[in-house]
Amino acid sequence: MEHVPPPAEELALLDRELSHLDARRAQLLQRRAWLVQALHASARPGPVGVGTAFAPPARASGPHFTSRAPSGHGAQNVLLALGGLLLAVAAIAFTLFSWGAMGIGGRSAVLATVTGAALAAPVLLRRSGLRATAEALGAFGLVLTLLDAYALHAVALPGTDGTAFAAVASAALAALWAAYGLTPGRPVLPVPAAVVAGQLPLVLGCSAAGAPALVFGWALLVTAVLDSVIAVRALRSGRTGVRVTALVCLAVTGSGALLLALARSLGAGGPVPALAPGALLVVVGAAALLAVRGAPAGSATACGLVGGLAAVAGTGGVVRAALPPEWAVVAYLPAAIALLTVPQVRSAARVLPAGAPGRGPAAAVAAVVGGSLLWAAPWVAVVLTGPLSAATRVWAGAPDGLRAALGAPVGWSWTMAAPVTLAVVAALGAAVHRWAGEPAGAGGATAPTGARDYLTRWRGAAPVAVPALAGGALLVTAAVVDVPYAVGAVVETLLVAGALELLVRTVRGPAGSAAGSAALGCALAGAVSVAALSLASEGATYAVVGALTALFAATAIRLPDRPARSVAACAAVLGGIALTVAAVGSLGLSASRGAPLLLAGPAVTVLLGGVLRRRPVAVPVELTGAFGALVAVGPAVTDAASLALVLGLSGVLATGAAVRPERRKVAGGLALVLFVLASWVRLAASEVAAPEAYTLPVTVPALVVGVLRRRRDPEASSWTAYGAGLTVTLAPSLLTAWGDPGWTRPLLLGLAALVVTLAGARGRLQAPLLLGGGVLALLGLHELAPYVVQVVGALPRWLVPAAAGVLLLAVGATYEKRLRDARRMREALGRLR
């Protein structure tokens, strides 16, 4: 019975429809429950509550509108806020426009009466329980005091300096508002307003006196200290609004003082001008560090971080001003190290416990060290990648110094501080590693449970990180000093050897994965760099690449069966391939004639594969050897005879690998393909016009062997039995027939392909069916091509795209049917052997 659509698709369609019906039923049940709840609620007295668990779903049928009346407190607050705003606007308008029409007595009376009433009324209102009304009138009273101060300056003291008067007025208003906040009932707004007003007196006073920039910084610092005192007292008394306001003001004023002092310190032209801003930075840092102990955990870390950075910037800024510009980064490292000697900071650097007093300063030290590394790391990258730019000048002659071999135009005077920075950071890392190894409780610190993992990771990574930094310092030093070329190559090779030794030692450690990956990465980067560096001289190439090959091979032998071992083994194989390429170059052979010699590396990997057998490292090694075979094919492409020889030898190597059972399936098929390609290329190179004379003697025995194989093993694939034998003759004959103007060869080849196709169909064999059918199709296309060209040339140009469009529409309209047909064809082919 023919199902349209097929049963599987129809079943999936039914399942989707049933799931949609279930979802719709659940939606209707939810709507019904809500309606029942609404009816029951309407039968009871009181408002109908709609915000229940039976609220209508978002996709309920029909629109549903919910109106919610504002609560009494919300409406009251809105009205009071609007009333206070209107009163403030009226007072401002009166002061600006109607003030001049009254005499001095009237003015004083109005001010005293309105301000006194606005400030006294809230006290009575709070006693009556009307706190919201009292807060609104209290805010209006605060605005009136500002207007009183403005009116006082405009009428009574018009000749005084505006900035100085503003400083005095802000101090007086801050005191008045703070006192008003202590009245019975404790109003909420006056004390935060007093804190805000208290930020202005010192800054405005400095502005009125024309003080220098650093005096502004000291004024901001004193204001920040007062804000911190207010925040601590508010925290103890539980006044959240006052504490939040004080903390915001503290952040603004403290940041202002810090940034102003930092700008003056960076702009100082000598150590003496840098002393004053440095002192301000140190005091800011000390104040922040003192605030650590009384602050919560998160705020304590932030205060410690700011304090540590300020102290480092203050002390390091004086040293920086006394040094040349290229040494500016190094100037801040001693200050960071000095900060790290503090016991609390040192203990935090060991364990970083949450909320520890030294966590913030330790983070500041880490920030300074990280910044210095970011500055110094590019110089190491220049030394490592510099040889790559000069790698095109192979064996052009060894230069005199290392800088010439790098080929990178760099201002080397600016790099003198980089190795010092790297060495200092390496020493600091070693010291922290030693501190991390102290027993619990040493140095006044105890490692909590959450910090033990950090300690373990650091102790595993430090033995790699510290030598890597020291090696980078040594590399940059060699470039700065401009050591001889040979010395530079030896130094970098020794560094690679050291990185590989670290890899072997750390791969079994507690953090072996991360530390081993870092060591392996350093070794590979150094190996690529020094290998490119050695290309300047023939002798250096053999010495360096040979040493690298031996080092990576020895490392692969010493490592356990882990990914690092496979990487080291592949690097050793690549080194051997590079040595083979160098040997071909030394022999003076052309690329095509020397290509077969490049198969020496793949031959070694085939032998190694037989030794390693099923170990995890065997597959990467053999794949690297296969890459070496591809390298050998590249130079031989220009000469067909050499290419045929390389392909044939590669087939021999693949046959050698196919001897092993675990490689027989892949390597055997690859060997057949390589032998067939080699025969085709050899025939083309010999300009053979009748390839059948050479291919049929191979095809017949191959097909006989295939028949015997199928009789012995009926489950064997037809591609394994007949694929290679048929391809050996059909493919070269097809290529020859494609350019043959006669009709004899295409006719005979077509008959042979027809026989092969019919044999494959009768025997349900996939390989003969597809190969014979493909050859028939291509032959038919070749024979019809001239007539198709003539017909297309005679037709209008618009007819071809129109026909293509119609075809696409037809295929699209019957897409599902075509898809099913393609699926059936694929399944039918899959059932063939």
Side-chain angles (χ1 to χ4, degrees), residues 474-498:
L474 184 59
L475 275 180
V476 181
T477 302
V480 171
V481 178
D482 196 15
V483 299
Y485 168 77
V487 175
V490 170
V491 168
E492 198 163 353
T493 305
L494 291 177
L495 289 177
V496 174

Side-chain angles (χ1 to χ4, degrees), residues 569-603:
C570 293
V573 173
L574 290 176
I577 295 172
L579 286 175
T580 307
V581 174
V584 171
S586 298
L587 293 174
L589 299 176
S590 62
S592 59
R593 296 193 62 183
L597 298 179
L598 299 180
L599 294 175

Side-chain angles (χ1 to χ4, degrees), residues 45-74:
V48 179
V50 296
T52 64
F54 298 95
R59 297 180 58 186
S61 60
H64 182 78
F65 301 97
T66 302
S67 62
R68 180 174 297 176
S71 63
H73 291 294

Side-chain angles (χ1 to χ4, degrees), residues 72-487:
H73 291 294
Q76 181 186 24
N77 292 333
V78 171
L79 294 176
L80 290 174
L82 289 176
L85 179 61
L86 291 176
L87 285 175
V89 171
I92 294 173
F94 172 76
T95 303
L96 293 178
F97 302 107
S98 301
W99 182 260
M102 301 178 64
I104 187 65
R107 299 171 186 174
S108 302
V110 170
L111 282 173
T113 302
V114 177
T115 305
L119 294 177
V123 178
L124 300 176
L125 291 173
R126 280 191 293 272
R127 290 179 180 177
S128 302
L130 303 175
R131 296 191 61 86
T133 307
E135 291 297 334
L137 285 178
F140 175 64
L142 298 182
V143 174
L144 285 178
T145 56
L146 288 174
L147 297 176
D148 291 341
Y150 167 75
L152 180 63
H153 178 262
V155 177
L157 302 170
T160 58
D161 180 65
T163 306
F165 180 82
V168 177
S170 59
L173 288 176
L176 175 63
W177 293 347
Y180 183 68
L182 300 177
T183 55
R186 292 296 180 90
V188 176
L189 187 58
V191 178
V195 174
V196 175
Q199 311 304 307
L200 302 177
L202 291 179
V203 177
L204 293 177
C206 292
S207 178
L214 283 179
V215 178
F216 277 91
W218 287 105
L220 289 172
L221 176 60
V222 173
T223 305
V225 171
L226 294 177
D227 291 335
S228 65
V229 173
I230 295 172
V232 172
R233 292 181 64 85
L235 178 63
R236 294 175 181 174
S237 60
R239 305 192 68 171
T240 306
V242 178
R243 181 172 64 87
V244 172
T245 306
L247 288 177
V248 172
C249 294
L250 169 63
V252 173
T253 54
S255 299
L258 181 62
L259 293 176
L260 193 151
L262 183 61
R264 301 294 294 180
S265 176
L266 294 176
V272 175
L275 287 176
L280 178 57
L281 284 171
V282 170
V283 174
V284 171
L289 292 175
L290 288 176
V292 169
R293 295 189 178 275
S299 301
T301 302
C303 290
L305 175 61
V306 173
L309 290 175
V312 171
T315 55
V318 179
V319 182
R320 180 205 61 79
L323 294 175
E326 58 268 20
W327 291 88
V329 176
V330 184
Y332 294 97
L333 280 176
I337 295 173
L339 183 63
L340 196 59
T341 58
V342 179
Q344 289 82 2
V345 181
R346 172 175 165 175
S347 63
R350 285 184 56 218
V351 297
L352 291 181
R359 180 168 185 170
V365 175
V368 174
V369 173
S372 63
L373 282 180
L374 289 177
W375 175 83
W379 302 113
V380 181
V382 167
V383 178
L384 286 176
T385 59
L388 299 178
S389 61
T392 56
R393 300 188 295 272
V394 179
W395 294 354
D400 295 332
L402 181 60
R403 291 186 192 175
L406 296 179
V410 177
W412 293 103
S413 61
W414 281 87
T415 64
M416 298 177 64
V420 178
T421 302
L422 294 170
V424 171
V425 174
L428 183 61
V432 175
H433 176 253
R434 181 176 59 84
W435 296 341
E438 293 176 359
T446 301
T449 304
R452 291 173 184 169
D453 294 339
Y454 167 79
L455 286 174
T456 303
R457 289 194 301 270
W458 170 248
R459 284 187 60 78
V464 176
V466 173
L469 292 173
L474 184 59
L475 275 180
V476 181
T477 302
V480 171
V481 178
D482 196 15
V483 299
Y485 168 77
V487 175

Side-chain angles (χ1 to χ4, degrees), residues 498-596:
L500 292 175
E501 180 64 26
L502 284 175
L503 170 64
V504 174
R505 293 190 178 186
T506 58
V507 75
R508 294 185 177 90
S513 178
S517 299
L520 182 59
C522 293
L524 292 175
V528 172
S529 176
V530 71
L533 183 67
S534 68
L535 294 178
S537 171
E538 182 177 2
T541 301
Y542 284 107
V544 171
V545 178
L548 292 176
T549 304
L551 287 172
F552 278 102
T555 303
I557 294 173
R558 297 172 62 190
L559 288 173
D561 282 330
R562 293 189 182 181
R565 184 183 192 185
S566 299
V567 175
C570 293
V573 173
L574 290 176
I577 295 172
L579 286 175
T580 307
V581 174
V584 171
S586 298
L587 293 174
L589 299 176
S590 62
S592 59
R593 296 193 62 183

